[in-house]
Amino acid sequence: MATAVLGMQWGDEGKGKVTHLLAKDATMVVRFNGGPNAGHTVIDRGVRFGTHLVPAGVFYPDVLSVLASGVVIDLSVLRQEVEEISRHLGWRPRLLISEAAHLILPYHRLLEDLEGMAGTFGTTRRGIAPVYRDRAAKVGIRSGDLLSPPRLRRRLDERMDLLKRLAPRSPEIDALSGGGLAEELLRSAEPFLNSIGDAAGAIGEALARDEAVLFEGAQGALLDLDFGTYPFVTSSSTTFAGLANGIGVPLLRVDCRIGVIKAYTTRVGEGAFPTELVDEVGETLRREGAEFGTTTGRPRRCGWLDLVALRHAAAFDAPTGLAVTKLDVLSGSEEIKLCRAYRLGGRETTRFPLAAEDLAECQPVYEMVPGWREDLSGMREYDELPKEARSYLARIAEGVGAPIAYVSLGPSAEETIATGFDSE
Ligand code: IMP
């Protein structure tokens, strides 16, 4: 049975832990969007990893880890991650890289900086928007090009010519076009050349054999290029609705779709955030939840859970079960607030506005839920949870329209409760 794990907020929901947990029973784990802007925290045999590109399958010897066509790859990041994880494991993970996956090159990071994207949108400075832009503009370099050095050199020359014409007096671009880029790329790619191939075909065959394929989403639904909080979004499709396009296989059956939700909300970077707490309560969430970015180290903005935004995400993710993470962080709050609607233009609405300007005007309408004092970290059964925590979870399930499949009470795999409700 195929499973998809998808973030339903602005990323950082704790997908890394959930995919690591589920990957051990998979035959194939597929990343289908984003690139090294993602930061998935995984604890494997007591060692903490912040992975950016490799799918969670790399930690298991029998699992094939696939970087599908929707992923954008920085070969130097991939190389570093694979080397580090191979040292930890004592063997090399099995990788398949789609020949259609685009490569992040030094000029993508440079363009992101020259255009000031980090300042305007709070981007991660990993070259994400420029590489996806190149893909759409048909001037990208794909991993399949690495298999034909003459083709690679020709495409790179054409790309550099275009860059020089657009920015004739840029010393940075001149420095990059001094040659050597193709050779450098081929050197970084050397350990992966045998792993580049027809990922869509392999995924399609595994699905046809009804294998346990796990699709690992990066970022979250509210960062989706089209249906997130545009323009304060990432540049790929982050939802179940976007998954088929990110792998190149029609998804007729993925019976299990786990929507991952942090028990409160966080956001890094710019953009409206109706339930943001800029007070002591937000500070406490940041401290207790260790809310600092895995990729950039930036402090995350923190706030209450937003059912309006989650219902919007659910429309694109169609979750069959929810994984609620970091519930333990809320222990000790007298009262917890849940946003059930927005007030916009003097009216109450439960619709999530697509225009950033409208979202910035939305005031949250809260309902109060009683908190609990107990430390949840040692609890292993749903019924052990305090009744207030169970009511909070029940309200989330009702508000989003999907049952609770997992509750995460700490970073390690054991600190998880599985309820058994996860598939259609
Ligand atoms: P970009 O993906 O680097 O272009 O950044 C666009 C927006 O998405 C910024 O607000 C980033 O902070 C955010 N973002 C990208 N990847 C992640 C992630 O994995 N977790 C949380 N936020 C992310």
Side-chain angles (χ1 to χ4, degrees), residues 239-324:
T239 64
F240 184 66
L243 202 167
N245 188 42
I247 58 173
V249 180
L251 284 176
L252 304 179
R253 283 198 74 117
V254 177
D255 290 338
C256 188
R257 300 180 293 274
I258 304 295
V260 188
I261 297 175
K262 197 181 290 190
Y264 46 96
T265 310
T266 60
R267 175 164 207 178
V268 280
E270 300 303 314
F273 178 176
T275 62
E276 182 170 14
L277 292 163
V278 286
D279 57 6
E280 189 47 43
V281 183
E283 221 13 87
T284 307
L285 285 175
R286 180 157 40 248
R287 193 180 55 245
E288 298 292 318
E291 296 296 352
F292 296 89
T294 314
T295 301
T296 58
R298 290 178 290 178
R300 296 178 184 142
R301 301 155 65 193
C302 296
W304 296 118
L305 203 64
D306 184 342
L307 290 176
V308 181
L310 286 172
R311 271 193 298 269
H312 176 73
F316 303 98
D317 284 341
T320 54
L322 305 176
V324 177

Side-chain angles (χ1 to χ4, degrees), residues 10-12 37-39 121-124 128 219 223 233-234 268-269 298:
W10 279 292
D12 307 319
N37 49 346
F121 304 111
T123 60
T124 58
I128 303 297
Q219 289 88 39
L223 289 173
V233 290
T234 191
V268 280
R298 290 178 290 178

Side-chain angles (χ1 to χ4, degrees), residues 394-415:
R395 181 67 187 99
I396 297 172
E398 182 206 355
V400 179
I404 306 290
Y406 298 93
V407 185
S408 171
L409 303 169
S412 67
E414 310 81 67
E415 294 168 301

Side-chain angles (χ1 to χ4, degrees), residues 13 47 91 141 177 208 267 292 333 339 343 374 376 412 414:
E13 297 91 351
V47 182
W91 40 266
I141 309 291
S177 59
R267 175 164 207 178
F292 296 89
S333 307
C339 173
R343 205 153 241 298
E374 293 87 337
L376 311 185
S412 67
E414 310 81 67

Side-chain angles (χ1 to χ4, degrees), residues 67 96-101 143-144 147 192-202:
L67 294 172
L96 173 60
I97 300 171
S98 167
E99 59 207 332
S143 70
L147 301 177
F192 303 114
L193 292 179
N194 289 331
S195 304
I196 297 171
D198 178 12

Side-chain angles (χ1 to χ4, degrees), residues 18 28 112 121 125-126 132 137 167 174 202 272 288 290 299 333 341 388 409:
V18 178
M28 182 185 269
E112 185 168 354
F121 304 111
R125 301 181 66 202
R126 298 297 184 272
Y132 279 116
D174 278 349
E288 298 292 318
S333 307
E388 294 82 1
L409 303 169

